[in-house]
Amino acid sequence: QVQLVESGGGLVQPGGSLRLSCGSSGFLLDRYTIGWFRQAPGMGRVGVSCISVGRSNITYYSESVKGRFTISRDIAKNTVYLQMNNLKPEDTGVYFCASGPLIATPQILCTQGADGSWGQGTQVTVSS
């Protein structure tokens, strides 16, 4: 029921940066846990980073992106961001924004997956 829209993907060289945005015009994201998932070719969706928007900046990062990616939220803009730095070819994939109930912690959402709403995804390609 939650309508999510992702943007910010693109083609970058290794070591480059991108910032993804996830927004909703019809729902307040601070009432949900929001996550970013990556789907590489031939693979399932894997949790990258998740955040409890309406709580005290509780976040979760997969081991592969720790120290490189930062998830954040702007409640006033009703938007969740994923700042991706020092991108690697293995970061390539379609990035989806997903919502889950607040009862699902960011770690739970990212590791167990979401059965709520999903956006249509934004392509991130890291290639030299």
Side-chain angles (χ1 to χ4, degrees):
Q1 189 172 355
V2 179
Q3 304 295 311
L4 301 172
V5 179
E6 306 96 334
S7 63
L11 173 64
V12 298
Q13 297 180 2
S17 298
L18 289 171
R19 188 176 75 162
L20 307 183
S21 298
C22 171
S24 176
S25 61
F27 298 86
L28 298 177
L29 299 185
D30 63 352
R31 295 193 282 111
Y32 302 89
T33 299
I34 302 296
W36 286 100
F37 292 75
R38 182 186 71 247
Q39 185 168 22
M43 304 293 291
R45 296 181 184 182
V46 178
V48 175
S49 184
C50 296
I51 186 171
S52 293
V53 178
R55 301 179 65 184
S56 57
N57 290 312
I58 300 174
T59 59
Y60 172 85
Y61 298 93
S62 66
E63 181 65 28
S64 64
V65 307
K66 287 182 179 178
R68 299 189 298 119
F69 291 8
T70 302
I71 190 169
S72 62
R73 85 285 186 272
D74 188 326
I75 295 178
K77 295 182 178 180
N78 202 35
T79 302
V80 173
Y81 303 100
L82 184 66
Q83 178 67 47
M84 304 185 294
N85 297 325
N86 192 24
L87 284 161
K88 303 176 180 180
E90 52 262 44
D91 296 320
T92 294
V94 179
Y95 282 72
F96 296 88
C97 180
S99 66
L102 285 174
I103 193 173
T105 66
Q107 181 174 1
I108 290 175
L109 182 65
C110 263
T111 59
Q112 300 300 318
D115 59 0
S117 298
W118 296 80
Q120 292 189 337
T122 184
Q123 176 71 44
V124 172
T125 303
V126 185
S127 179
S128 61

